[in-house]
Amino acid sequence: MNGADRLCDTLLAHDVDVCFANPGTSEMHFVAALDRKPQMRCILGLSEGVVTGAADGYARMADKPAATLLHLGPGLGNALANLHNAKRAHTPMINVVGDHATYHLHLDAPLTSDIESIARPMSKWVGRINRPGQVEGQTVAAWQAAMMQPGISTLILAADAAWGELPAGEVKKTILPPRRQADAGDIRRAAEILRSKRRTAIILTGRALRADALDVAGRIAHATGARLLSQGSNGRIERGAGRISARRVPYPIDQAIEFLADLEAVILIGAGEPVGFFAYPGKPGHLLPQSCEILELAGISDDLPHTLQWLADELGAKAAAPVPPHKALERPASGKLTIESINLALAAAIPENAIVCDEMVTSGRQFFGLTEQAAPHDFLALTGGAIGIGIPLATGAAIACPDRKVIGLQADGSGMYTLQALWTQAREKLDVVTVVFANAAYAILQGEMRAVGVNNFGTNARRMLTLDEPVLDWTLMARGMGVEAARAETLEDFNSLFDAALRRRGPFLIEARI
Ligand SMILES: Cc1ncc(C[n+]2csc(CCOP(=O)(O)OP(=O)(O)O)c2C)c(N)n1
């Protein structure tokens, strides 16, 4: 047995049995060890953004981390944008990053870099394994941090620690400590606020957005008149008809300020205080009114469902909140393919228990609102604003939930960052329908330009904000990676392609020309 074998055994003993990978020479002993472990499912991503985006989608649905395998500093560097999104989603993940043998580092060979410094901004835990004897302890520490924070752990594995021999031995699973519970004084204060008849909102994220926790939150809201809200973006929401809905704080700054303007108190459960996505001249960063009382009842690593239950008990909130009766959404049948018509058609056609991955950008502004009445589903969003997560996210979610239909809703510009994930979908035969909103533009940035008063774009601005000349052909790109694809020019086309894609298994891509 060598250090790499012990690393695999330690991951497997802790139920980490999927590894999204893009390996190199310094990781060859780890690759060889993974090859000796058929229980570990290894999935190749053709760029590191695919690897970490997929690990994010996987963990959001599996509620446990995947491992990633990344090649030294440059491999980790390529992965950073989607690690940033995973960090913002509070996703558990264990990155295994290979490094040169300890005695080789001082030679400053071409791939040598300061891996710790690259890892630190996105990781809640960073550790290094320099000797085989450190493998088990460091891997358990990485797993424990990923689960408890929850967040990203980055484990740097020196090549000589991977190949160094170790006496054989079995790894025992470490039991996690219980999550921190809310403070009794804070619960009493929250109950006081909620009884005070002030205009109060409860803002939720993380585990508080699962259906069972939302039910309890709904009882609290029903008993007290509080508004239930969720953060502007959230890793996963169990959503749809029959479920309690927590409205999202809007993204556009003026809408967000107006949305929150009348609040006198806010209770945060896992969520952060709402702030502007960007700074704008003359506009505030804090979005709540200055006089609004803010109580942080529970942080993201606390036991959020327990916090809600305790608060409901304190208030004696037993009656279930009424949910609007399910009325099937009307599906537009024909006409022009516009953002509005396609949003309605999609919301009406989402199958029950689907997983929806949203990177629609400007094509999705109304979509989230419509999904309140869609069939029950999970909604996974772009959490950190770093575009290029959608296709990998759907890929990882499909690995975690092979029996559920995954629907990837994808803006074209964002999709181009990590379109290689389509190849992984084809190779792993994943049941994902990707809809590309092909507007041939960075439309959101055109809007931001107009918002700063520039209405006539010159050549430079136009060339930076459009994706034409040449137009991207998504059907060809998908087919080139083994994913069947078709183009929709009308709503009839779209509806029939979407229905056909739902009936079959395996990846399919629809390019919607809007
Ligand atoms: C990693 C990263 N790079 C660049 C940006 C800046 N950015 C924000 S939106 C956007 C373009 C989005 O275009 P598209 O995905 O086609 O959606 P649309 O705006 O057309 O709806 C860019 C480049 C970003 N958010 N993240």
Side-chain angles (χ1 to χ4, degrees):
M1 167 171 279
N2 63 25
D5 288 311
R6 180 63 56 86
L7 175 49
C8 291
D9 286 348
T10 310
L11 291 170
L12 285 168
H14 293 83
D15 220 14
V16 179
D17 53 9
V18 172
C19 178
F20 295 96
N22 191 274
T25 306
S26 40
E27 294 83 38
M28 273 310 128
H29 285 83
F30 187 46
V31 172
L34 288 165
D35 201 33
R36 292 189 279 273
K37 305 286 172 205
Q39 316 89 296
M40 184 71 85
R41 182 169 179 189
C42 294
I43 295 162
L44 180 62
L46 299 186
S47 81
E48 290 84 352
V50 171
V51 168
T52 52
D56 186 0
Y58 171 88
R60 290 194 206 184
M61 292 312 302
D63 281 329
K64 62 176 187 172
T68 71
L69 170 50
L70 302 167
H71 185 50
L72 300 103
L76 177 62
N78 275 347
L80 285 185
N82 274 339
L83 285 175
H84 166 85
N85 288 323
K87 177 185 175 189
R88 291 286 168 182
H90 309 291
T91 298
M93 194 185 298
I94 302 172
N95 296 319
V96 179
V97 183
D99 197 4
H100 288 308
T102 47
Y103 59 81
H104 197 69
L105 281 173
H106 76 280
L107 299 177
D108 197 27
L111 270 163
T112 308
S113 66
D114 180 356
I115 302 176
E116 274 90 344
S117 292
I118 301 170
R120 218 162 266 126
M122 308 305 171
S123 311
K124 289 195 173 157
W125 185 97
V126 179
R128 175 176 275 278
I129 299 174
N130 282 332
R131 294 187 304 281
Q134 295 173 327
V135 168
E136 189 175 330
Q138 287 288 69
T139 308
V140 170
W143 172 76
Q144 192 155 342
M147 293 294 289
M148 292 307 293
Q149 301 268 5
I152 296 164
S153 293
T154 300
L155 195 52
I156 301 161
L157 177 66
D160 49 342
W163 72 56
E165 290 297 315
L166 269 176
E170 218 175 283
V171 178
K172 284 211 180 62
K173 182 172 180 176
T174 303
I175 305 298
L176 290 174
R179 292 202 173 277
R180 198 189 80 93
Q181 299 191 344
D183 174 79
D186 286 344
I187 291 279
R188 281 196 297 276
R189 178 73 200 131
E192 246 169 59
I193 292 171
L194 287 162
R195 287 196 196 99
S196 71
K197 304 282 175 237
R198 285 191 290 164
R199 282 186 295 274
T200 302
I202 303 173
I203 309 184
L204 310 167
T205 199
R207 293 292 296 224
L209 292 173
R210 303 292 172 83
D212 53 353
L214 282 167
D215 271 349
V216 181
R219 281 197 265 137
I220 295 169
H222 182 53
T224 62
R227 276 157 69 188
L228 278 189
L229 305 180
S230 55
Q231 284 188 164
S233 56
N234 305 277
R236 175 177 171 190
I237 307 180
E238 289 184 347
R239 188 161 170 79
R243 289 177 170 161
I244 298 291
S245 154
R247 290 183 66 195
R248 283 195 309 202
V249 176
Y251 165 85
I253 180 109
D254 293 328
Q255 279 180 39
I257 292 169
E258 199 190 315
F259 184 77
L260 302 166
D262 65 335
L263 288 173
E264 294 167 294
V266 155
I267 297 168
L268 301 173
I269 300 190
E273 178 208 335
V275 294
F277 204 93
F278 290 106
Y280 296 91
K283 307 221 160 137
H286 295 276
L287 300 182
L288 292 167
Q290 265 181 2
S291 55
C292 182
E293 178 179 351
I294 302 173
L295 176 66
E296 191 186 334
L297 184 56
I300 192 69
S301 53
D302 295 345
D303 187 339
L304 304 184
H306 177 270
T307 304
L308 283 164
Q309 189 58 57
W310 190 1
L311 183 57
D313 292 346
E314 181 77 16
L315 290 158
K318 292 202 171 60
V323 281
H326 179 212
K327 48 177 189 338
L329 292 165
E330 211 169 300
R331 188 181 186 189
S334 62
K336 256 187 94 184
L337 201 55
T338 61
I339 292 177
E340 290 72 27
S341 66
I342 202 171
N343 272 243
L344 282 167
L346 272 168
I350 293 175
E352 185 160 352
N353 211 26
I355 300 165
V356 176
C357 297
D358 167 24
E359 193 171 39
M360 297 164 93
V361 193
T362 54
S363 297
R365 293 243 164 100
Q366 301 97 29
F367 185 68
F368 185 76
L370 295 171
T371 56
E372 190 173 320
Q373 274 304 307
H377 61 279
D378 281 82
F379 193 98
L380 277 49
L382 165 61
T383 43
I387 58 174
I389 195 174
I391 307 176
L393 195 70
T395 305
I399 299 278
C401 302
D403 302 326
R404 298 176 65 175
K405 200 83 186 175
V406 178
I407 299 174
L409 302 177
Q410 187 58 57
D412 53 357
S414 304
M416 284 303 291
Y417 286 65
T418 45
L419 78 169
Q420 306 93 318
L422 290 172
W423 178 84
T424 304
Q425 291 181 10
R427 177 183 244 204
E428 302 292 330
K429 300 185 177 56
L430 303 179
D431 200 12
V432 182
V433 187
T434 303
V435 178
V436 174
F437 294 83
N439 64 3
Y442 283 169
I444 190 169
L445 299 184
Q446 295 184 4
E448 296 283 358
M449 278 280 279
R450 289 191 195 96
V452 298
V454 184
N455 283 304
N456 297 317
F457 299 171
T459 304
N460 273 343
R462 206 195 68 74
R463 289 182 68 81
M464 280 194 279
L465 304 180
T466 51
L467 307 181
D468 53 0
E469 299 173 3
V471 165
L472 295 161
D473 188 327
W474 279 89
T475 62
L476 286 181
M477 291 191 288
R479 282 188 209 123
M481 283 179 278
V483 172
E484 283 184 54
R487 178 172 302 139
E489 313 250 9
T490 66
L491 197 57
E492 285 98 320
D493 290 348
F494 178 76
N495 282 340
S496 71
L497 285 170
F498 193 70
D499 286 344
L502 291 184
R503 279 194 301 272
R504 70 203 286 283
R505 273 189 71 83
F508 192 83
L509 182 140
I510 303 171
E511 180 189 294
R513 282 274 162 98
I514 49 168

